Amino acid sequence: MVEKDNWLLAGAKQDGVSITKEWKPATPSLIDGVIFQEIKPVLTAYGSLTEIFRTEWVPDAAQIGQIFASTLEPGGLSAWHAHAITTDRLFVAAGQMRVVLYDAREESPTFGMLNEFKLGTRRPGLLVVPPRVWHGVQNYCSTLAILVNAVDHAYRYDAPDHWRVPADSDTVPYRFSNDRHG
Ligand SMILES: Cc1cn([C@H]2C[C@H](O)[C@@H](COP(=O)(O)OP(=O)(O)O[C@H]3O[C@@H](C)C(=O)[C@@H](O)[C@H]3O)O2)c(=O)[nH]c1=O
């Protein structure tokens, strides 16, 4: 018997491919220079152990100049940032964060591209953000979130390598929302 389509509601759209059989997001390509290293926690008799950073995960075994942690309260938003020479290596050690990247480098092959990631304890990973790629982070959950950043160049108190535009700047084609919808 041929199934009728009379159950479809007006405007219904069929889902596209969103995940591979290895449960990896079937997302478009990454912004040039961005690396996402998925990390699987090791379960122990007392809890778990999760590696955060290995030089073999990043190209040319780049250095670590400093490691710092930022906390974001539930709903907290820190956007948009960019660095001229500093590479951020972001790891969410507690809670969940949305991390959005925007490539405004006109010479980049991925100029204009946005990447959105959800990082945290539910799916640990290290996100490498190259210099000059704009980024913003949001704690989209209801518990405190902790972001660890293993940067290659330590923070310079006298001349921070840190540029900002407001989270609602029209120069970045993205708006963070607090909605939780499909
Ligand atoms: C990075 C850093 C900041 N600070 C000071 C500067 C400032 O007064 C205060 C807050 O620093 P920031 O404004 O840089 O913090 P924030 O705006 O949360 O930015 C940080 O968040 C993540 C998402 C990033 O992308 C990084 O660039 C990092 O700078 O802490 C230090 O004392 N040492 C440091 O190593």
Side-chain angles (χ1 to χ4, degrees):
M1 186 178 90
V2 175
E3 296 290 327
K4 290 184 178 304
D5 287 348
N6 55 8
W7 54 275
L8 281 174
L9 295 174
K13 291 186 176 59
Q14 184 177 8
D15 277 3
V17 173
S18 61
I19 202 80
T20 68
K21 62 181 171 36
E22 294 81 22
W23 303 292
K24 293 196 184 298
T27 50
S29 56
L30 293 179
I31 288 170
D32 186 47
V34 169
I35 297 168
F36 178 67
Q37 170 69 44
E38 187 164 4
I39 305 165
K40 293 194 187 308
V42 177
L43 301 184
T44 60
Y46 46 85
S48 65
L49 179 143
T50 306
E51 296 186 9
I52 291 179
F53 183 94
R54 278 182 173 263
T55 50
E56 66 219 46
W57 294 349
V58 295
D60 58 63
Q63 67 186 36
I64 295 182
Q66 177 200 18
I67 300 175
F68 60 89
S70 307
T71 61
L72 269 74
E73 299 294 341
L77 173 61
S78 177
W80 299 96
H81 312 262
H83 315 290
I85 61 166
T86 304
T87 297
D88 283 346
R89 290 80 161 249
L90 304 177
F91 177 86
V92 177
Q96 292 286 126
M97 286 191 190
R98 176 177 287 112
V99 182
V100 180
L101 312 181
Y102 175 58
D103 189 358
R105 301 167 298 180
E106 290 181 5
E107 77 286 356
S108 166
T110 54
F111 172 63
M113 182 179 279
L114 284 163
N115 282 164
E116 180 174 337
F117 300 86
K118 286 184 177 170
L119 301 183
T121 53
R122 290 185 203 143
R123 190 150 187 184
L126 182 74
L127 181 62
V128 178
V129 183
R132 301 182 300 133
V133 171
W134 290 89
H135 49 281
V137 297
Q138 178 188 38
N139 177 353
Y140 64 91
C141 285
S142 52
T143 55
L144 183 80
I146 300 175
L147 178 70
V148 174
N149 195 348
V151 290
D152 56 353
H153 298 289
Y155 181 77
R156 280 192 49 187
Y157 302 101
D158 62 326
D161 176 22
H162 198 157
W163 276 261
R164 294 173 198 267
V165 293
D168 61 355
S169 168
D170 291 334
T171 56
V172 182
Y174 184 88
R175 283 293 174 277
F176 286 89
S177 79
N178 293 320
D179 301 345
R180 292 182 178 84
H181 52 72

